[in-house]
Amino acid sequence: MQIVRFFRSGRVCGEGTTGAGAEAAGAAAGARGLAALSVLGLLAAGCGAVRGEDLLDNVPAGPAVAAPDARALHSQARRMVDAHVRQVTAGHRYGLAGAPLSAPQPPAFKPFLTTEPRLARGRGKGLPAVITRVPTRAKVVFLTVDDAAAKDPEFVRMMRELDVPYSVFPTWHRRALPRLGGAGPQRAAICGQQDALRRETGQRPQLFRPPLGAYTLDTLRMAAACGVKVVPLWNEEASPGRMAYHARDHRLQSGDIILVRFDLRRDRHGAAVAALAALRAAQQQGFAIARLEDYA
């Protein structure tokens, strides 16, 4: 049987190799430490019978992989522990039962999305998918909010301290898009918003939520013309102190999209209070909050 090549010349295990030759062999062994692992057992069993010329080819390509520095690992672990402690402390301060559940790694490929039948406004090629839920088996739900980042700084602070992702859909036009008139005004409104977001973030978003959730087939056509791929509506509404479920069992389901609904005329921290209702429901029902853009 051919054995992995480790030494290019000379005998091993002290077979007639001494002095400078032994030092050279030792240096070669150090340079090919990974390959040595494959022959250690054989050497231990009878290394006197193994000669350098018998260890042929199959040397791993590339540099040897160094083990992580123990101090770096310890430092990283300490940072993770400290971050979790801060998250737990923040959770208790905001009235949660500890830290929110951590979301799993996002999928390598986003699930295929299609318009839910009850949300269709007609047929057409290339229309964005209109959804209230993302098809996934992961125990995750998605938190979405309209304009809260600009109107409720407490909401932004709380979500950062809890390390919870959320998606913001700015509402540049407070009126429902169908009320703007025909396709032209709707396209101007949608493309104008997407262009503004591209200037702010450097990327053109492919998600768009129509104001008040109102849309027609023209809205979807104009959204597609503006580069929109997904129109995420919602399956639950979180408002200060309560959750409104569309499902009869009043339970969250994997992939549900939650809308944080608030009225700043009544409470200047309405978004934060409404979000807490969603976070409590997710925590009690065993769901983590994931980032919608990772799935849609």
Side-chain angles (χ1 to χ4, degrees), residues 49-130:
V50 180
R51 299 186 305 170
E53 53 267 29
D54 293 327
L55 304 176
L56 304 176
D57 303 326
N58 299 325
V59 177
V65 179
D69 182 73
R71 288 173 297 182
L73 289 176
H74 180 269
S75 178
Q76 181 182 6
R78 184 58 182 269
R79 287 195 299 270
M80 294 175 63
V81 170
D82 290 345
H84 182 69
V85 169
R86 288 194 298 270
Q87 194 180 22
V88 171
T89 302
H92 288 154
R93 186 168 66 253
Y94 288 112
L96 300 176
L101 296 176
S102 298
Q105 288 293 323
F109 300 96
K110 295 180 180 181
F112 180 72
L113 302 178
T114 58
T115 296
E116 298 172 22
R118 65 186 178 89
L119 301 176
R121 297 291 185 268
R123 295 183 179 181
K125 293 184 178 180
L127 295 180
V130 186

Side-chain angles (χ1 to χ4, degrees), residues 119-164:
L119 301 176
R121 297 291 185 268
R123 295 183 179 181
K125 293 184 178 180
L127 295 180
V130 186
I131 61 171
T132 62
R133 177 183 296 126
V134 173
T136 177
R137 295 180 180 179
K139 290 217 57 172
V140 298
V141 293
F142 308 98
L143 207 60
T144 65
V145 63
D146 297 336
D147 288 341
K151 296 179 179 179
D152 188 357
E154 179 63 22
F155 167 83
V156 178
R157 184 182 306 109
M158 179 184 74
M159 301 301 278
R160 183 175 60 247
E161 293 178 0
L162 294 172
D163 193 22
V164 173

Side-chain angles (χ1 to χ4, degrees), residues 11-264:
R11 297 177 180 272
V12 297
C13 293
E15 280 192 42
T17 303
T18 60
E23 294 179 3
R32 300 176 179 83
L34 289 178
L37 295 177
S38 63
V39 297
L40 282 179
L42 202 147
L43 293 176
C47 64
V50 180
R51 299 186 305 170
E53 53 267 29
D54 293 327
L55 304 176
L56 304 176
D57 303 326
N58 299 325
V59 177
V65 179
D69 182 73
R71 288 173 297 182
L73 289 176
H74 180 269
S75 178
Q76 181 182 6
R78 184 58 182 269
R79 287 195 299 270
M80 294 175 63
V81 170
D82 290 345
H84 182 69
V85 169
R86 288 194 298 270
Q87 194 180 22
V88 171
T89 302
H92 288 154
R93 186 168 66 253
Y94 288 112
L96 300 176
L101 296 176
S102 298
Q105 288 293 323
F109 300 96
K110 295 180 180 181
F112 180 72
L113 302 178
T114 58
T115 296
E116 298 172 22
R118 65 186 178 89
L119 301 176
R121 297 291 185 268
R123 295 183 179 181
K125 293 184 178 180
L127 295 180
V130 186
I131 61 171
T132 62
R133 177 183 296 126
V134 173
T136 177
R137 295 180 180 179
K139 290 217 57 172
V140 298
V141 293
F142 308 98
L143 207 60
T144 65
V145 63
D146 297 336
D147 288 341
K151 296 179 179 179
D152 188 357
E154 179 63 22
F155 167 83
V156 178
R157 184 182 306 109
M158 179 184 74
M159 301 301 278
R160 183 175 60 247
E161 293 178 0
L162 294 172
D163 193 22
V164 173
Y166 60 94
S167 299
V168 177
F169 295 98
T171 306
W172 299 82
H173 297 270
R174 299 304 302 176
R175 297 172 60 190
L177 288 177
R179 295 183 180 180
L180 295 180
Q186 292 195 55
R187 175 169 181 166
I190 297 170
C191 289
Q193 174 173 305
Q194 302 302 88
D195 289 340
L197 290 173
R198 181 185 59 185
R199 289 191 296 270
E200 292 179 8
T201 65
Q203 295 182 341
R204 188 178 187 86
Q206 295 187 338
L207 275 63
F208 169 76
R209 173 180 289 166
L212 308 178
Y215 62 97
T216 63
L217 181 59
D218 276 342
T219 308
L220 298 181
R221 287 172 175 164
M222 295 306 99
C226 297
V228 174
K229 301 298 183 184
V230 181
V231 173
L233 300 182
W234 57 90
N235 218 31
E236 286 85 24
E237 298 179 17
S239 54
R242 63 185 296 269
M243 282 282 292
Y245 296 87
H246 288 184
R248 293 183 178 180
D249 60 0
H250 288 194
R251 301 283 298 178
L252 294 171
Q253 299 184 44
S254 292
D256 274 355
I257 301 173
I258 304 172
L259 170 66
V260 175
R261 185 178 292 280
F262 61 99
D263 186 352
L264 288 178

